[in-house]
Amino acid sequence: MTTAPRWRVVGRGEGGAITVVDLDRNGDRLAVHAFDDDAFRRAVAADAEATRWVWHDTRWWYRMLLDAGIRISRCHDLRLSHAILRTSAWADAPALRAARGWDAGGPLEEAGPQALFDLDGGDVPVLPESLDEVLAEFERQREAVTASPQRARLELLLAAESAGALVAEELHAAGVPWSREVHAGILDATLGPRPLAGGVPARIAELGAVVRAALGDDRASLDSQPKLLRALHRAGVPATSTNRWELAEYDHPVIAPLLEYKKLTRLASANGWAWLEEWAPAGRFRPVYVPGGVVTGRWASSGGGALQLPRQLRPAVRADPGWTLVVADVAQLEPRVLAAMAGDTALAAAARGTDLYAGMVGEGVVTSRQEAKIAMLGAMYGATTGDSGRLVPALRRAYPRAMGLVDEAAAVGEAGGVVTTWLGRSSPAPGSGWQRVQQEASGADASAADETRARRSARDRGRFTRNFVVQGSAAEWALAWLADLRTRLAALPVADAPAPASGPVFAARAHLAFFLHDEIIVHAPQEQAEAVAVAVREAADAATRLLFGGFPLDFPLDLQIRADAAKG
DNA sequence: AAGGGACGCGCG
DNA sequence: AAAGCGCGCGTCCCTT
């Protein structure tokens, strides 16, 4: 009788052949297989459900599999896991920290065959993919986790991070269903007809003329910040910058058309016709997601500005014929995560309905929903002045546990310490520059300027660590939500729907199409919309229980089923 | 000519 | 009406 492997570790063996080592739950070897590329794909396809595949970089291996139409259930991404364990305060892992090569983490090209042609790159870091190095790193990671006092949470974090890596590749492969017609229609209505190559859109040209007239300078340059600032000064607007918020404070006929001009030039340059051609040439927008790309554990993106899509263009996200979108975002994710982490039952009580901010008003902590929002954001970001800073003390009185948690995180950061999220991602230690500034200020010959500088950089770091614990833990909730939802969607029956342009893995199957910190979009066959909506809600509940057990707090969703992703 | 920094602004 | 966290990207401008 054969034992089913717990892990299947993938690497390059003799002569570069793909080699898979099957391990049992104790990490003992069950079998070793050498494959060519085709045989490897067949082996994965035959065992896609059962096994946790262990590999150096999901971007490399899973992209190859998805291209061949193969989806898998689980993996362990050594690159992402290494990054977490290397800095986690809960992992005492000297061997892992000493390992060379695993902290490289460059773009995908550097890990793939592209590197062969990147000769002038010279010392471009390449992740180890040889079987020996992959096995050794996996062993180091298992040791670090097993020895951790927070083993269960770290295991959860590594599993969630790795699932996120799978989701990121699937999102890229499927793409965001994008209506070029709707997008072009918005551009036309806002900017005017598409100009000839290199031309200025009509509405922008008109507004530019109005602005120059108001400045009394028909040759004023509006696109150069220093020149615009000088032109404003000549026209009697004593602005110190040209940002929107400051300009809005001045009462001058140039302000309104100038702000509109800036709005339109922004749309044209960031998401205009050129963007449409480059990023959505065939009805799909395919951003590259970068899991763990932000220090806090949030995802980043590269290419196309996926995480900055203006709300204005959301109507261009449009389901294929016979399909629909399930659009869901979490209401007040970060304050809810904070309440659960701190075990703050008063804040949890305010969150009991669907609107945490309304709950705060109901408890008499603040007088309006807007105040509640400003105060809560100020507490999580470390505001000290303005309306926001003024309201924070009221929150400290009403929610001492939640506020105590972020205040403590700030204090640790100001003192140069490290803070850690709910599941175990730690903030980076302060850099040598930061420490030097603090030391210089504490020396006997420190000037007043030295002390001011040191205090400011300490406060800056305090605000960073204050926010780190909340933003990072919220990212963990979102990862758990994504991972659980991904599994539920895969379990839905294959639908009788027209094949979408989403590639072989996603034809006739509901799939994630977009993710943005606390929001997801699922592209679903119309007949499955309700089932998908249920899965999205159940996944949120599952994530909450997984992270916070029985703590009495919901994470309610704002969920809509509709053909486009506009809010309505 | 290429690259880095500053600025501004889109998103959460 | 905003000053306080985390990002990516386009533009301009200056340096190399």
Side-chain angles (χ1 to χ4, degrees):
Chain A
M1 157 176 169
T2 56
T3 314
R6 171 75 169 272
W7 294 288
R8 307 195 73 181
V9 183
V10 183
R12 298 280 176 182
E14 293 291 317
I18 299 174
T19 307
V20 173
V21 175
D22 295 348
L23 302 178
D24 69 14
R25 56 186 308 108
N26 301 315
D28 293 329
R29 280 185 196 210
L30 296 170
V32 180
H33 318 266
F35 296 113
D36 62 24
D37 286 9
D38 265 353
F40 174 66
R41 290 191 192 94
R42 285 197 302 274
V44 175
D47 194 13
E49 299 302 321
T51 301
R52 192 177 291 277
W53 295 92
V54 180
W55 49 39
H56 78 304
D57 191 345
T58 302
R59 297 175 302 177
W60 176 246
W61 293 103
Y62 198 34
R63 193 162 297 186
M64 177 237 271
L65 294 168
L66 284 173
D67 286 346
I70 299 163
R71 178 198 179 277
I72 67 163
S73 292
R74 288 189 298 275
C75 79
H76 178 96
D77 185 297
L78 291 167
R79 176 182 65 98
L80 293 169
S81 298
H82 181 98
I84 290 169
L85 294 173
R86 175 178 284 273
T87 54
S88 176
W90 294 345
D92 179 24
L96 185 142
R97 289 187 176 111
R100 306 253 57 96
W102 289 93
D103 52 346
L108 178 59
E109 290 74 32
E110 293 168 8
Q114 200 80 25
L116 297 173
F117 306 100
D118 192 11
L119 294 177
D120 49 341
D123 52 355
V124 169
V126 176
L127 287 168
E129 59 171 354
S130 81
L131 183 67
D132 289 345
E133 293 191 82
V134 167
L135 281 166
E137 173 63 17
F138 185 45
E139 182 60 23
R140 288 190 290 268
Q141 294 191 5
R142 290 200 331 129
E143 277 173 16
V145 171
T146 305
S148 170
Q150 293 283 4
R151 174 179 180 170
R153 289 196 190 183
L154 276 180
E155 282 179 344
L156 203 53
L157 178 54
L158 300 189
E161 184 84 342
S162 297
L166 296 177
V167 172
E169 284 308 311
E170 291 169 1
L171 283 168
H172 176 75
V176 184
W178 195 266
S179 166
R180 294 172 52 82
E181 293 70 24
V182 171
H183 186 168
I186 292 168
L187 295 179
D188 188 272
T190 315
L191 305 173
R194 178 178 190 167
L196 300 175
V200 178
R203 284 286 295 138
I204 290 178
E206 289 164 26
L207 275 166
V210 173
V211 171
R212 291 188 184 91
L215 286 170
D217 178 356
D218 59 9
R219 298 164 59 98
S221 168
L222 309 182
D223 300 322
S224 157
Q225 196 265 359
K227 289 176 184 168
L228 175 58
L229 198 57
R230 285 195 291 271
L232 286 166
H233 289 169
R234 286 194 296 272
V237 179
T240 61
S241 79
T242 63
N243 76 56
R244 182 159 44 106
W245 290 113
E246 186 182 346
L247 291 182
E249 289 171 6
Y250 295 98
D251 182 19
H252 188 284
V254 76
I255 299 301
L258 178 55
L259 294 181
E260 183 68 7
Y261 175 90
K262 284 166 149 289
K263 205 162 130 187
L264 298 197
T265 51
R266 163 80 192 189
L267 175 65
S269 70
N271 296 101
W273 293 277
W275 184 95
L276 184 54
E277 298 306 331
E278 183 177 359
W279 290 102
R284 283 292 187 278
F285 169 39
R286 294 182 199 281
V288 173
Y289 293 92
V290 187
V294 177
V295 274
T296 59
R298 271 188 175 181
W299 287 15
S301 72
S302 100
L307 306 187
Q308 305 135 261
L309 268 188
R311 287 263 156 206
Q312 190 183 6
L313 285 184
R314 288 299 187 88
V317 180
R318 200 164 173 87
D320 287 350
W323 289 62
T324 192
L325 302 177
V326 178
V327 184
D329 67 271
V330 194
Q332 306 105 27
L333 174 60
E334 290 190 352
R336 285 171 198 275
V337 165
L338 173 57
M341 291 173 77
D344 192 318
T345 47
L347 187 53
R352 188 117 321 140
T354 56
D355 185 351
L356 178 143
Y357 298 136
M360 290 167 62
V361 177
E363 291 180 346
V365 177
V366 287
T367 59
S368 71
R369 187 181 188 283
Q370 189 60 13
E371 273 194 356
K373 185 173 180 177
I374 289 174
M376 187 55 78
L377 291 176
M380 293 188 302
Y381 293 168
T384 54
T385 61
D387 283 353
S388 185
R390 184 169 53 73
L391 292 164
V392 171
L395 262 58
R396 285 210 177 85
R397 286 192 295 276
Y399 311 117
R401 298 192 66 155
M403 296 302 119
L405 190 149
V406 287
D407 287 345
E408 170 64 14
V412 169
E414 285 190 29
V418 161
V419 295
T420 299
T421 60
W422 186 245
L423 292 186
R425 193 185 309 257
S426 293
S427 64
S432 55
W434 189 92
Q435 284 171 332
R436 198 177 56 247
V437 166
Q438 300 304 318
Q439 267 162 16
E440 281 168 3
S442 62
D445 55 346
S447 67
D450 288 339
E451 287 172 15
T452 304
R453 191 159 63 117
R455 260 177 62 138
R456 188 170 60 222
S457 78
R459 292 267 163 80
D460 288 349
R461 188 155 192 282
R463 286 193 303 275
F464 166 64
T465 52
R466 168 190 294 273
N467 186 247
F468 183 94
V469 291
V470 180
Q471 187 183 119
S473 301
E476 288 162 357
W477 185 95
L479 270 183
W481 183 35
L482 270 184
D484 191 87
L485 175 58
R486 175 178 182 272
T487 302
R488 288 175 197 272
L489 293 180
L492 290 175
V494 170
D496 178 22
S502 300
V505 175
F506 309 103
R509 197 179 266 297
H511 55 268
L512 279 154
F514 190 64
F515 171 59
L516 179 54
H517 306 319
D518 62 356
E519 173 183 2
I520 53 102
I521 297 177
V522 178
H523 193 212
Q526 244 160 25
E527 68 191 46
Q528 289 186 350
E530 292 298 335
V532 168
V534 169
V536 169
R537 293 189 191 283
E538 287 179 347
D541 290 339
T544 304
R545 301 286 84 84
L546 194 61
L547 264 67
F548 302 120
F551 186 74
L553 180 62
D554 289 330
F555 285 68
L557 304 180
D558 178 5
L559 183 149
Q560 301 191 19
I561 298 170
R562 44 184 300 154
D564 66 42
K567 280 254 181 183

